[in-house]
Tab-separated table of all heavy atoms in Angstrom:
chain	number	residue	atom	x	y	z
A	153	THR	N	100.710	86.748	99.195
A	153	THR	CA	100.990	85.416	99.740
A	153	THR	C	100.931	85.432	101.266
A	153	THR	O	100.305	84.565	101.892
A	153	THR	CB	102.369	84.926	99.276
A	153	THR	OG1	102.400	84.900	97.846
A	153	THR	CG2	102.669	83.546	99.808
A	154	THR	N	101.553	86.448	101.849
A	154	THR	CA	101.551	86.574	103.313
A	154	THR	C	100.150	86.855	103.841
A	154	THR	O	99.709	86.249	104.831
A	154	THR	CB	102.502	87.700	103.743
A	154	THR	OG1	103.811	87.428	103.248
A	154	THR	CG2	102.553	87.832	105.258
A	155	LEU	N	99.445	87.781	103.173
A	155	LEU	CA	98.106	88.150	103.629
A	155	LEU	C	97.134	86.976	103.516
A	155	LEU	O	96.303	86.754	104.411
A	155	LEU	CB	97.588	89.335	102.802
A	155	LEU	CG	98.294	90.676	103.033
A	155	LEU	CD1	97.817	91.710	102.022
A	155	LEU	CD2	98.049	91.182	104.447
A	156	GLU	N	97.229	86.232	102.420
A	156	GLU	CA	96.326	85.084	102.238
A	156	GLU	C	96.555	84.025	103.312
A	156	GLU	O	95.600	83.418	103.818
A	156	GLU	CB	96.525	84.493	100.843
A	156	GLU	CG	95.932	85.367	99.739
A	156	GLU	CD	96.387	84.935	98.361
A	156	GLU	OE1	97.241	84.024	98.271
A	156	GLU	OE2	95.908	85.512	97.368
A	157	ALA	N	97.810	83.821	103.681
A	157	ALA	CA	98.115	82.851	104.737
A	157	ALA	C	97.555	83.325	106.077
A	157	ALA	O	97.003	82.540	106.856
A	157	ALA	CB	99.627	82.645	104.832
A	158	GLU	N	97.662	84.629	106.324
A	158	GLU	CA	97.146	85.180	107.573
A	158	GLU	C	95.618	85.118	107.603
A	158	GLU	O	95.019	84.826	108.645
A	158	GLU	CB	97.625	86.625	107.737
A	158	GLU	CG	97.295	87.279	109.074
A	158	GLU	CD	97.970	86.613	110.267
A	158	GLU	OE1	98.839	85.740	110.059
A	158	GLU	OE2	97.616	86.958	111.401
A	159	VAL	N	94.983	85.397	106.464
A	159	VAL	CA	93.517	85.294	106.370
A	159	VAL	C	93.070	83.865	106.658
A	159	VAL	O	92.111	83.635	107.408
A	159	VAL	CB	93.025	85.748	104.981
A	159	VAL	CG1	91.581	85.312	104.750
A	159	VAL	CG2	93.135	87.257	104.848
A	160	ALA	N	93.757	82.902	106.074
A	160	ALA	CA	93.401	81.492	106.287
A	160	ALA	C	93.527	81.121	107.764
A	160	ALA	O	92.667	80.417	108.318
A	160	ALA	CB	94.293	80.592	105.433
A	161	ARG	N	94.580	81.617	108.420
A	161	ARG	CA	94.781	81.307	109.840
A	161	ARG	C	93.660	81.915	110.681
A	161	ARG	O	93.096	81.251	111.568
A	161	ARG	CB	96.133	81.854	110.299
A	161	ARG	CG	96.465	81.520	111.755
A	161	ARG	CD	97.739	82.191	112.205
A	161	ARG	NE	97.593	83.631	112.311
A	161	ARG	CZ	97.007	84.246	113.341
A	161	ARG	NH1	96.485	83.541	114.341
A	161	ARG	NH2	96.924	85.563	113.375
A	162	LEU	N	93.329	83.187	110.388
A	162	LEU	CA	92.289	83.853	111.175
A	162	LEU	C	90.915	83.248	110.906
A	162	LEU	O	90.073	83.158	111.813
A	162	LEU	CB	92.276	85.354	110.850
A	162	LEU	CG	93.463	86.156	111.387
A	162	LEU	CD1	93.427	87.582	110.863
A	162	LEU	CD2	93.465	86.153	112.915
A	163	GLU	N	90.664	82.839	109.668
A	163	GLU	CA	89.387	82.190	109.361
A	163	GLU	C	89.240	80.888	110.145
A	163	GLU	O	88.139	80.559	110.609
A	163	GLU	CB	89.289	81.931	107.858
A	163	GLU	CG	89.001	83.199	107.041
A	163	GLU	CD	88.977	82.939	105.548
A	163	GLU	OE1	89.565	81.916	105.110
A	163	GLU	OE2	88.398	83.760	104.809
A	164	ALA	N	90.340	80.177	110.285
A	164	ALA	CA	90.302	78.940	111.074
A	164	ALA	C	90.033	79.249	112.541
A	164	ALA	O	89.223	78.567	113.197
A	164	ALA	CB	91.622	78.188	110.918
A	165	ASP	N	90.693	80.293	113.061
A	165	ASP	CA	90.458	80.697	114.451
A	165	ASP	C	89.007	81.142	114.642
A	165	ASP	O	88.378	80.833	115.668
A	165	ASP	CB	91.397	81.842	114.840
A	165	ASP	CG	92.849	81.390	114.953
A	165	ASP	OD1	93.088	80.165	114.990
A	165	ASP	OD2	93.739	82.267	114.989
A	166	LEU	N	88.481	81.868	113.658
A	166	LEU	CA	87.099	82.351	113.751
A	166	LEU	C	86.117	81.179	113.743
A	166	LEU	O	85.136	81.170	114.506
A	166	LEU	CB	86.798	83.298	112.587
A	166	LEU	CG	85.381	83.868	112.531
A	166	LEU	CD1	85.089	84.713	113.763
A	166	LEU	CD2	85.195	84.707	111.265
A	167	ALA	N	86.389	80.193	112.911
A	167	ALA	CA	85.512	79.019	112.850
A	167	ALA	C	85.462	78.301	114.195
A	167	ALA	O	84.396	77.864	114.645
A	167	ALA	CB	85.985	78.072	111.752
A	168	VAL	N	86.615	78.214	114.836
A	168	VAL	CA	86.677	77.565	116.155
A	168	VAL	C	85.895	78.382	117.173
A	168	VAL	O	85.118	77.839	117.978
A	168	VAL	CB	88.142	77.400	116.603
A	168	VAL	CG1	88.200	76.920	118.064
A	168	VAL	CG2	88.871	76.410	115.698
A	169	ALA	N	86.091	79.712	117.149
A	169	ALA	CA	85.403	80.572	118.117
A	169	ALA	C	83.891	80.535	117.895
A	169	ALA	O	83.110	80.516	118.860
A	169	ALA	CB	85.924	82.003	117.988
A	170	GLU	N	83.455	80.521	116.648
A	170	GLU	CA	82.018	80.504	116.351
A	170	GLU	C	81.386	79.160	116.717
A	170	GLU	O	80.204	79.110	117.084
A	170	GLU	CB	81.789	80.813	114.866
A	170	GLU	CG	82.084	82.269	114.502
A	170	GLU	CD	81.915	82.543	113.019
A	170	GLU	OE1	82.031	81.582	112.215
A	170	GLU	OE2	81.683	83.712	112.662
A	171	LYS	N	82.163	78.122	116.604
A	171	LYS	CA	81.643	76.787	116.922
A	171	LYS	C	81.246	76.688	118.388
A	171	LYS	O	80.346	75.922	118.763
A	171	LYS	CB	82.694	75.732	116.570
A	171	LYS	CG	82.176	74.299	116.607
A	171	LYS	CD	83.230	73.329	116.110
A	171	LYS	CE	82.701	71.906	116.107
A	171	LYS	NZ	83.720	70.924	115.616
A	172	ALA	N	81.903	77.475	119.229
A	172	ALA	CA	81.628	77.419	120.669
A	172	ALA	C	80.405	78.234	121.068
A	172	ALA	O	79.986	78.196	122.235
A	172	ALA	CB	82.851	77.917	121.440
A	173	LEU	N	79.805	78.974	120.120
A	173	LEU	CA	78.646	79.807	120.461
A	173	LEU	C	77.410	78.938	120.698
A	173	LEU	O	77.230	77.913	120.039
A	173	LEU	CB	78.363	80.798	119.323
A	173	LEU	CG	79.422	81.869	119.072
A	173	LEU	CD1	79.063	82.684	117.826
A	173	LEU	CD2	79.565	82.779	120.282
A	174	PRO	N	76.532	79.350	121.616
A	174	PRO	CA	75.291	78.601	121.865
A	174	PRO	C	74.428	78.548	120.601
A	174	PRO	O	74.341	79.532	119.851
A	174	PRO	CB	74.599	79.406	122.962
A	174	PRO	CG	75.684	80.225	123.582
A	174	PRO	CD	76.678	80.511	122.504
A	175	GLY	N	73.791	77.437	120.381
A	175	GLY	CA	73.017	77.242	119.166
A	175	GLY	C	71.894	78.237	118.990
A	175	GLY	O	71.653	78.738	117.882
A	176	ASP	N	71.135	78.561	120.077
A	176	ASP	CA	69.998	79.465	119.937
A	176	ASP	C	70.435	80.922	119.767
A	176	ASP	O	69.631	81.791	119.441
A	176	ASP	CB	69.044	79.338	121.137
A	176	ASP	CG	69.763	79.540	122.468
A	176	ASP	OD1	70.999	79.590	122.471
A	176	ASP	OD2	69.070	79.649	123.505
A	177	PHE	N	71.694	81.217	119.984
A	177	PHE	CA	72.226	82.570	119.794
A	177	PHE	C	72.926	82.706	118.450
A	177	PHE	O	72.997	83.801	117.879
A	177	PHE	CB	73.206	82.886	120.934
A	177	PHE	CG	74.139	84.026	120.639
A	177	PHE	CD1	73.675	85.333	120.591
A	177	PHE	CD2	75.484	83.788	120.395
A	177	PHE	CE1	74.543	86.380	120.313
A	177	PHE	CE2	76.358	84.834	120.115
A	177	PHE	CZ	75.891	86.129	120.085
A	178	LYS	N	73.409	81.587	117.926
A	178	LYS	CA	74.266	81.622	116.741
A	178	LYS	C	73.569	82.253	115.531
A	178	LYS	O	74.179	83.001	114.761
A	178	LYS	CB	74.746	80.216	116.395
A	178	LYS	CG	75.853	80.192	115.340
A	178	LYS	CD	76.379	78.776	115.110
A	178	LYS	CE	77.104	78.245	116.333
A	178	LYS	NZ	77.737	76.928	116.084
A	179	LEU	N	72.269	81.970	115.358
A	179	LEU	CA	71.543	82.505	114.199
A	179	LEU	C	71.496	84.033	114.227
A	179	LEU	O	71.701	84.694	113.206
A	179	LEU	CB	70.128	81.928	114.142
A	179	LEU	CG	70.015	80.472	113.684
A	179	LEU	CD1	68.560	80.018	113.728
A	179	LEU	CD2	70.579	80.301	112.280
A	180	ASP	N	71.230	84.596	115.417
A	180	ASP	CA	71.199	86.060	115.542
A	180	ASP	C	72.586	86.656	115.296
A	180	ASP	O	72.718	87.703	114.652
A	180	ASP	CB	70.709	86.459	116.933
A	180	ASP	CG	69.224	86.182	117.109
A	180	ASP	OD1	68.487	86.305	116.109
A	180	ASP	OD2	68.820	85.833	118.228
A	181	TYR	N	73.590	85.990	115.806
A	181	TYR	CA	74.971	86.429	115.580
A	181	TYR	C	75.302	86.395	114.094
A	181	TYR	O	75.853	87.365	113.538
A	181	TYR	CB	75.929	85.530	116.367
A	181	TYR	CG	77.342	85.522	115.851
A	181	TYR	CD1	78.228	86.547	116.153
A	181	TYR	CD2	77.789	84.473	115.038
A	181	TYR	CE1	79.526	86.534	115.660
A	181	TYR	CE2	79.077	84.456	114.552
A	181	TYR	CZ	79.944	85.478	114.845
A	181	TYR	OH	81.228	85.471	114.356
A	182	GLN	N	74.981	85.294	113.435
A	182	GLN	CA	75.288	85.164	112.010
A	182	GLN	C	74.542	86.207	111.181
A	182	GLN	O	75.075	86.732	110.202
A	182	GLN	CB	74.937	83.755	111.528
A	182	GLN	CG	75.873	82.684	112.079
A	182	GLN	CD	75.406	81.278	111.734
A	182	GLN	OE1	74.226	81.047	111.462
A	182	GLN	NE2	76.341	80.320	111.747
A	183	ARG	N	73.306	86.500	111.583
A	183	ARG	CA	72.516	87.494	110.858
A	183	ARG	C	73.176	88.867	110.903
A	183	ARG	O	73.319	89.536	109.876
A	183	ARG	CB	71.101	87.563	111.457
A	183	ARG	CG	70.241	88.687	110.891
A	183	ARG	CD	68.896	88.755	111.609
A	183	ARG	NE	69.038	88.816	113.059
A	183	ARG	CZ	69.386	89.915	113.730
A	183	ARG	NH1	69.626	91.040	113.074
A	183	ARG	NH2	69.474	89.891	115.050
A	184	VAL	N	73.597	89.295	112.087
A	184	VAL	CA	74.156	90.640	112.213
A	184	VAL	C	75.548	90.725	111.569
A	184	VAL	O	75.897	91.737	110.958
A	184	VAL	CB	74.202	91.079	113.702
A	184	VAL	CG1	75.295	90.354	114.475
A	184	VAL	CG2	74.403	92.590	113.803
A	185	VAL	N	76.311	89.650	111.640
A	185	VAL	CA	77.636	89.646	111.007
A	185	VAL	C	77.511	89.630	109.488
A	185	VAL	O	78.276	90.293	108.776
A	185	VAL	CB	78.473	88.449	111.511
A	185	VAL	CG1	79.714	88.264	110.657
A	185	VAL	CG2	78.867	88.665	112.969
A	186	ALA	N	76.521	88.882	108.980
A	186	ALA	CA	76.312	88.844	107.536
A	186	ALA	C	75.912	90.217	107.013
A	186	ALA	O	76.291	90.612	105.900
A	186	ALA	CB	75.235	87.820	107.189
A	187	ALA	N	75.172	90.978	107.814
A	187	ALA	CA	74.697	92.292	107.382
A	187	ALA	C	75.744	93.375	107.563
A	187	ALA	O	75.879	94.274	106.728
A	187	ALA	CB	73.427	92.665	108.159
A	188	LYS	N	76.516	93.307	108.645
A	188	LYS	CA	77.410	94.408	108.990
A	188	LYS	C	78.892	94.046	108.995
A	188	LYS	O	79.747	94.913	109.131
A	188	LYS	CB	77.036	94.981	110.361
A	188	LYS	CG	75.642	95.581	110.427
A	188	LYS	CD	75.310	96.038	111.839
A	188	LYS	CE	73.941	96.687	111.934
A	188	LYS	NZ	73.895	98.002	111.260
A	189	GLY	N	79.207	92.763	108.898
A	189	GLY	CA	80.609	92.369	108.949
A	189	GLY	C	81.214	92.648	110.309
A	189	GLY	O	80.575	92.462	111.353
A	190	ALA	N	82.456	93.155	110.311
A	190	ALA	CA	83.142	93.451	111.571
A	190	ALA	C	82.422	94.524	112.374
A	190	ALA	O	82.544	94.588	113.600
A	190	ALA	CB	84.581	93.887	111.294
A	191	ASP	N	81.633	95.368	111.684
A	191	ASP	CA	80.880	96.420	112.380
A	191	ASP	C	79.625	95.886	113.040
A	191	ASP	O	78.855	96.660	113.623
A	191	ASP	CB	80.502	97.529	111.382
A	191	ASP	CG	81.726	98.276	110.871
A	191	ASP	OD1	82.728	98.336	111.608
A	191	ASP	OD2	81.672	98.781	109.734
A	192	GLY	N	79.407	94.578	112.940
A	192	GLY	CA	78.237	93.974	113.582
A	192	GLY	C	78.407	93.795	115.072
A	192	GLY	O	77.454	93.431	115.775
A	193	LEU	N	79.627	94.019	115.597
A	193	LEU	CA	79.883	93.935	117.032
A	193	LEU	C	80.502	95.252	117.490
A	193	LEU	O	81.259	95.891	116.740
A	193	LEU	CB	80.834	92.785	117.363
A	193	LEU	CG	80.335	91.358	117.108
A	193	LEU	CD1	80.714	90.909	115.700
A	193	LEU	CD2	80.926	90.396	118.133
A	194	ALA	N	80.198	95.624	118.729
A	194	ALA	CA	80.760	96.868	119.257
A	194	ALA	C	80.766	96.817	120.776
A	194	ALA	O	79.882	96.227	121.396
A	194	ALA	CB	79.946	98.075	118.772
A	195	PRO	N	81.774	97.450	121.376
A	195	PRO	CA	81.790	97.506	122.841
A	195	PRO	C	80.748	98.485	123.363
A	195	PRO	O	80.354	99.422	122.671
A	195	PRO	CB	83.211	98.005	123.144
A	195	PRO	CG	83.626	98.749	121.919
A	195	PRO	CD	82.971	98.071	120.768
A	196	CYS	N	80.315	98.237	124.562
A	196	CYS	CA	79.390	99.152	125.248
A	196	CYS	C	80.176	99.775	126.396
A	196	CYS	O	80.391	99.144	127.432
A	196	CYS	CB	78.168	98.396	125.749
A	196	CYS	SG	76.938	99.450	126.557
A	197	GLU	N	80.597	101.002	126.203
A	197	GLU	CA	81.469	101.687	127.162
A	197	GLU	C	80.646	102.664	127.990
A	197	GLU	O	80.029	103.584	127.449
A	197	GLU	CB	82.562	102.445	126.402
A	197	GLU	CG	83.609	103.082	127.305
A	197	GLU	CD	84.684	102.088	127.729
A	197	GLU	OE1	85.157	101.311	126.894
A	197	GLU	OE2	85.029	102.106	128.931
A	198	ASP	N	80.613	102.452	129.306
A	198	ASP	CA	79.866	103.340	130.207
A	198	ASP	C	78.409	103.487	129.761
A	198	ASP	O	77.839	104.585	129.783
A	198	ASP	CB	80.530	104.718	130.276
A	198	ASP	CG	81.924	104.662	130.893
A	198	ASP	OD1	82.138	103.803	131.772
A	198	ASP	OD2	82.792	105.445	130.473
A	199	GLY	N	77.818	102.363	129.345
A	199	GLY	CA	76.414	102.381	128.972
A	199	GLY	C	76.129	102.961	127.598
A	199	GLY	O	74.965	103.177	127.244
A	200	VAL	N	77.174	103.233	126.807
A	200	VAL	CA	76.990	103.835	125.482
A	200	VAL	C	77.478	102.868	124.409
A	200	VAL	O	78.590	102.318	124.500
A	200	VAL	CB	77.764	105.167	125.364
A	200	VAL	CG1	77.648	105.721	123.942
A	200	VAL	CG2	77.216	106.167	126.366
A	201	CYS	N	76.662	102.634	123.396
A	201	CYS	CA	77.052	101.776	122.261
A	201	CYS	C	78.111	102.498	121.440
A	201	CYS	O	77.873	103.598	120.932
A	201	CYS	CB	75.834	101.471	121.389
A	201	CYS	SG	76.236	100.692	119.799
A	202	GLU	N	79.264	101.867	121.324
A	202	GLU	CA	80.345	102.487	120.558
A	202	GLU	C	80.104	102.392	119.048
A	202	GLU	O	80.806	103.012	118.261
A	202	GLU	CB	81.677	101.808	120.894
A	202	GLU	CG	82.154	102.022	122.318
A	202	GLU	CD	82.452	103.475	122.618
A	202	GLU	OE1	83.158	104.118	121.815
A	202	GLU	OE2	81.964	103.984	123.648
A	203	GLY	N	79.079	101.629	118.658
A	203	GLY	CA	78.761	101.532	117.237
A	203	GLY	C	78.022	102.748	116.721
A	203	GLY	O	78.246	103.197	115.603
Side-chain angles (χ1 to χ4, degrees):
T153 302
T154 302
L155 291 172
E156 287 168 355
E158 187 64 9
V159 165
R161 183 186 69 79
L162 288 173
E163 285 177 339
D165 290 346
L166 179 62
V168 171
E170 289 177 336
K171 191 174 182 180
L173 294 174
D176 54 350
F177 161 71
K178 191 175 293 186
L179 286 178
D180 289 327
Y181 158 80
Q182 290 173 337
R183 173 184 52 77
V184 73
V185 168
K188 298 176 178 290
D191 293 332
L193 294 91
C196 182
E197 186 83 43
D198 296 328
V200 176
C201 169
E202 294 296 311

